[in-house]
């Protein structure tokens, strides 16, 4: 979630009266979702929009609160959602077990609303800080687009997703042409401005939800295009090359043009269990190397009939 949006709390309890009391207390300050059993709670938590906090009853008829918590901890998407257990007054053992399993806190029934509000506020404040930190460590400080760490995570995630769906995955490695002479002649801070502008243009050019661009390091960028086969990926790569040409950033020392240009290497495959993700990246790297050798300011793609991954 965005750190400024209203945070979402999922209340899970098989007793409708408990849901009503908690919902009324919390809905003034937070977005509230509810579930009357563990199965429904997991569906909501693993859905499109993950909640920021779960208030989770322990004793429920189908799957109990412990099992819900264990299931949340097993998925990357849900493992860091904080959970506050709801227990009976005599539930010291329940509390201990819940905390050992990774619950952040507990509240007791019958509810004391100011205590509930304070405990919820504390956990959400921590969650907000954790979200902000997570965002900061994934963003490149100079260009403000995702960094190498974010790329590594996104790549593995998309690789796995495309493996399951047997969908094509394209990758573009991008490098600014003759950037060393740019820095040497115009100065490092002008070089930084170019990196920012290139990053901004590349990001703005990618239109589809799953498309992902990151600064890979130095003057190198990387793009992942999930569910995109080679012909469409070439089209996207050409549009990326063009948007940098259109910026017309003067660069007298570029061997390819009088302005800043980029070279792009493009590879594609249908991911499989027996393929290593790095092989796709190596292939894109090789294509980038060819683009440089063949004169820069161009896209070189793995030939459409080169099913290197078969
Ligand atoms: N200004 C600036 N320069 C950077 C940054 N990171 C890497 N560079 C520079 O990017 C340049 C990369 O140069 P090279 O890898 O030699 O390649 P090139 O001059 O771009 O030549 P080709 O790739 O063959 O077109 C080096 O001079 C690095 O110092 C950065 O954050 N800011």
């Amino acid at each position: 979630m965005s750190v400024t949006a209203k945070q979402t709390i999922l209340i899970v309890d098989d007793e409708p009266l408990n849901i009503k009391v908690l919902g009324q207390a919390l809905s003034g300050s937070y977005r509230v979702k509810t579930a009357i059993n563990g199965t429904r709670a997991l569906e909501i938590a693993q859905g499109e929009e993950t909640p920021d906090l779960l208030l989770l009853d322990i004793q429920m008829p189908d799957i109990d609160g412990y099992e819900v918590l264990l299931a949340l901890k097993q998925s990357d998407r849900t493992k860091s959602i904080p959970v506050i257990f709801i227990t009976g007054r005599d539930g010291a053992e329940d509390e201990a077990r819940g905390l050992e399993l990774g619950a952040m806190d507990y509240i007791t029934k019958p509810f004391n609303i100011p205590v509930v509000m304070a405990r919820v506020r504390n956990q959400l404040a921590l969650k907000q800080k954790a979200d902000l930190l997570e965002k900061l460590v994934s963003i490149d400080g100079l260009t403000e687009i995702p960094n190498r760490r974010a790329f590594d995570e996104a790549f593995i995630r998309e690789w796995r997703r495309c493996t399951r769906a047997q969908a094509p995955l394209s990758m573009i490695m991008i490098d600014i042409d003759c950037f060393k002479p740019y820095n040497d002649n115009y100065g490092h801070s002008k070089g930084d401005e170019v990196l920012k502008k290139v990053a901004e243009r590349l990001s703005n050019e990618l239109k589809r939800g799953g498309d992902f661009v990151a600064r890979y390091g130095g003057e190198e960028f990387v793009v992942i295009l999930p569910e995109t086969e080679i012909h469409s990926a070439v089209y996207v790569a050409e549009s990326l090359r063009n948007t940098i040409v259109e910026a017309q950033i003067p660069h007298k020392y570029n061997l390819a043009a009088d302005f800043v240009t980029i070279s792009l290497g493009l590879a594609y495959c249908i991911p499989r269990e027996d393929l290593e993700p790095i092989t796709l990246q190596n292939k894109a790297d090789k294509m980038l190397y060819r683009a440089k050798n063949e004169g820069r300011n161009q896209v070189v793609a793995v030939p459409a009939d080169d099913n290197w991954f078969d």
Side-chain angles (χ1 to χ4, degrees):
M1 58 145 260
S2 107
V3 277
T4 51
K6 219 175 187 186
Q7 291 172 292
T8 303
I9 300 174
L10 173 58
I11 305 171
V12 190
D13 201 310
D14 61 323
E15 173 54 58
L17 185 62
N18 288 342
I19 290 190
K20 193 170 167 209
V21 172
L22 289 172
Q24 274 171 352
L26 295 165
S27 58
S29 313
Y30 310 105
R31 288 184 59 208
V32 171
K33 291 184 179 177
T34 60
I36 54 157
N37 58 52
T39 308
R40 182 74 192 122
L42 286 173
E43 273 169 21
I44 296 175
Q46 285 156 357
E48 194 103 312
E49 195 192 337
T50 53
D52 296 291
L53 176 68
L54 249 77
L55 294 187
L56 182 59
D57 189 17
I58 294 179
Q59 275 144 19
M60 291 186 291
D62 64 338
I63 52 175
D64 66 20
Y66 300 126
E67 289 171 90
V68 172
L69 179 60
L70 282 171
L72 292 174
K73 294 288 173 204
Q74 272 159 23
S75 151
D76 280 347
R77 282 199 63 208
T78 55
K79 68 181 180 197
S80 52
I81 304 174
V83 169
I84 299 181
F85 268 136
I86 302 171
T87 67
R89 274 254 178 260
D90 53 355
E93 272 179 32
D94 289 346
E95 285 162 19
R97 187 167 164 215
L99 294 171
E100 272 163 26
L101 288 175
M104 299 299 287
D105 202 353
Y106 61 88
I107 51 179
T108 49
K109 290 185 266 193
F111 305 121
N112 176 316
I113 292 302
V115 171
V116 170
M117 295 300 281
R119 290 186 186 265
V120 162
R121 223 178 6 253
N122 287 347
Q123 290 307 324
L124 285 175
L126 284 174
K127 172 71 166 41
Q128 204 161 41
K129 286 196 182 114
D131 284 350
L132 183 60
L133 213 60
E134 179 63 26
K135 206 170 156 195
L136 289 176
V137 295
S138 304
I139 294 289
D140 173 54
L142 176 69
T143 61
E144 294 179 0
I145 66 170
N147 60 16
R148 166 92 176 258
R149 178 182 183 273
F151 159 76
D152 288 340
E153 281 178 11
F155 182 33
I156 292 301
R157 196 172 54 238
E158 291 304 335
W159 180 274
R160 288 192 187 135
R161 205 168 60 75
C162 289
T163 305
R164 282 196 301 273
Q166 276 304 284
L169 179 64
S170 290
M171 176 181 287
I172 313 173
M173 295 299 296
I174 301 171
D175 189 279
I176 302 177
D177 294 325
C178 303
F179 198 54
K180 184 171 185 325
Y182 188 95
N183 270 327
D184 292 348
N185 290 284
Y186 295 95
H188 208 267
S189 67
K190 281 275 183 200
D192 283 357
E193 278 175 35
V194 170
L195 286 168
K196 283 197 232 177
K197 213 172 268 179
V198 167
E200 192 187 347
R201 286 208 157 233
L202 295 178
S203 306
N204 289 343
E205 196 59 29
L206 294 174
K207 308 280 190 310
R208 269 176 39 178
D211 297 350
F212 181 89
V213 61
R215 183 177 180 203
Y216 192 69
E219 82 298 9
E220 255 195 295
F221 297 86
V222 60
V223 169
I224 314 171
L225 305 170
E227 307 200 18
T228 309
E229 44 67 45
I230 190 82
H231 298 289
S232 313
V234 168
Y235 181 83
V236 173
E238 279 298 347
S239 78
L240 295 173
R241 192 186 64 79
N242 270 324
T243 189
I244 304 305
V245 167
E246 280 161 13
Q248 289 288 308
I249 306 162
H251 182 357
K252 277 201 293 186
Y253 309 93
N254 185 359
L255 296 171
D258 295 334
F259 39 85
V260 170
T261 56
I262 52 175
S263 295
L264 306 92
L266 167 53
Y268 136 101
C269 72
I270 296 173
R272 287 194 315 256
E273 301 278 358
D274 62 328
L275 275 180
E276 290 291 331
I278 190 73
T279 53
L280 178 64
Q281 203 173 331
N282 290 343
K283 197 79 180 171
D285 250 334
K286 258 189 202 151
M287 297 303 115
L288 171 60
Y289 186 73
R290 270 201 214 160
K292 291 279 181 191
N293 279 342
E294 289 170 19
R296 300 182 176 85
N297 186 24
Q298 59 187 281
V299 176
V300 172
V302 169
D305 58 356
D306 174 358
N307 292 324
W308 59 272
F309 49 89
D310 280 340

